[in-house]
Amino acid sequence: MSDLPSIEALYDVCGFTWPAAAETRVGPWMIRDGQGGGQRVSAATREGEGDWDFDAAEAAMSKLGQPKLFMVRQGETELDAELELRGYQIKDPVNFYACPIAHLTDVDIPRVTAFTLWEPLQIMRDIWAAGGIDDARYHVMQRSTCTKTALLGRWNDQPAGTGYVAIYGGTAMVHALEILEHQRGMGVGKWMMRRAAVWAEEQGAGMMSVICTQANDAANALYTSLGMTLIGRYHYRIKND
């Protein structure tokens, strides 16, 4: 795995390609203003040493009107234990996958199967909305300053799926990959991932990456079938007051 990005590098890729609206240091914590864009852009992370000062982090998140939510990255066992003692529950364990781009550009993509374009079309936004990827998450894509594009998949002469891909530090990451329910199980996601890789290679990237929840069996099966390697994991802990 030496030629693949480290889990620490992928945390950075994720943060820059799917950015919070604002980040503020509060003691050892990075507090994120997600503006409704989901857990990845609103979870607090520990970025410094010293007093845990959970109360300050919780107050900062409450001030933003956000849940008390922390991201626990791989190896942060002490943080995980402290949060459990404070009544935080594990939520949505996530897998990181990566592979060299060449692993995904070795097969010709069938014509009119997958495209890249920016800005996203209305049909793409409709597909995202059908999968629960709402306007707040769409605004996360819009505010990224990375080199980026959107994916449109077609199957049986009809729109089938959409996604978003952006590049940071030579690694492309795919987010918000959504396939319409009636178009699933036909290989559309595979061709969209390959189209994302072709685009990323044209932009000079050398690696592809993606994240998905451990509970998403279909997505995990897709990425492993493409030869992507599981690099690492993280999970959230949330307090339901």
Side-chain angles (χ1 to χ4, degrees):
M1 196 184 296
S2 60
D3 60 336
L4 293 173
S6 67
I7 186 64
E8 291 78 15
L10 290 181
Y11 292 137
D12 287 341
V13 174
C14 187
F16 280 92
T17 59
W18 192 262
E23 296 181 335
T24 305
R25 283 293 293 266
V26 176
W29 307 106
M30 184 66 75
I31 304 298
R32 292 175 175 82
D33 180 1
Q35 295 187 2
Q39 295 179 134
R40 274 180 279 165
V41 291
S42 57
T45 53
R46 185 169 171 81
E47 305 294 343
E49 300 298 325
D51 190 343
W52 291 100
D53 202 0
F54 287 105
D55 291 341
E58 291 175 347
M61 287 185 276
S62 294
K63 186 176 181 180
L64 290 170
Q66 297 180 168
K68 297 171 183 175
L69 180 72
F70 291 84
M71 177 190 288
V72 180
R73 295 165 294 196
Q74 191 162 290
E76 292 183 324
T77 55
E78 188 176 3
L79 171 60
D80 204 32
E82 291 288 341
L83 287 168
E84 185 170 16
L85 287 173
R86 292 179 67 90
Y88 280 79
Q89 304 298 310
I90 290 178
K91 191 171 189 289
D92 293 337
V94 169
N95 288 334
F96 271 104
Y97 292 94
C99 70
I101 276 182
H103 286 193
L104 299 178
T105 58
D106 60 336
V107 175
D108 290 336
I109 301 168
R111 293 181 62 252
V112 299
T113 299
F115 308 86
T116 55
L117 67 158
W118 193 268
E119 297 273 337
L121 304 174
Q122 184 60 49
I123 184 59
M124 299 160 73
R125 296 191 62 178
D126 292 343
I127 294 171
W128 274 319
I133 300 168
D134 58 12
D135 286 346
R137 286 169 172 79
Y138 179 70
H139 292 324
V140 175
M141 309 176 208
Q142 287 285 351
R143 65 175 169 252
S144 172
T145 59
C146 297
T147 301
K148 61 189 177 184
T149 194
L151 304 166
L152 174 62
R154 288 181 59 84
W155 198 253
N156 295 325
D157 296 322
Q158 296 293 325
T162 191
Y164 159 78
V165 55
I167 301 171
Y168 176 77
T171 296
M173 183 169 283
V174 175
H175 301 268
L177 185 66
E178 184 65 32
I179 310 298
L180 288 171
E181 187 172 0
H182 69 281
Q183 296 275 35
R184 293 174 187 169
M186 303 180 191
V188 179
K190 172 184 68 177
W191 296 121
M192 291 175 67
M193 287 294 296
R194 289 186 178 279
R195 176 59 67 196
V198 169
W199 171 85
E201 187 175 58
E202 291 170 349
Q203 313 310 310
M207 291 285 166
M208 285 295 299
S209 63
V210 69
I211 66 175
C212 67
T213 62
Q214 293 176 21
N216 190 336
D217 293 336
N220 283 283
L222 168 63
Y223 304 134
T224 55
S225 73
L226 287 168
M228 302 187 80
T229 299
L230 177 63
I231 304 296
R233 302 175 172 90
Y234 71 84
H235 61 267
Y236 301 100
R237 279 195 180 264
I238 190 167
K239 180 182 280 187
N240 297 310
D241 294 330

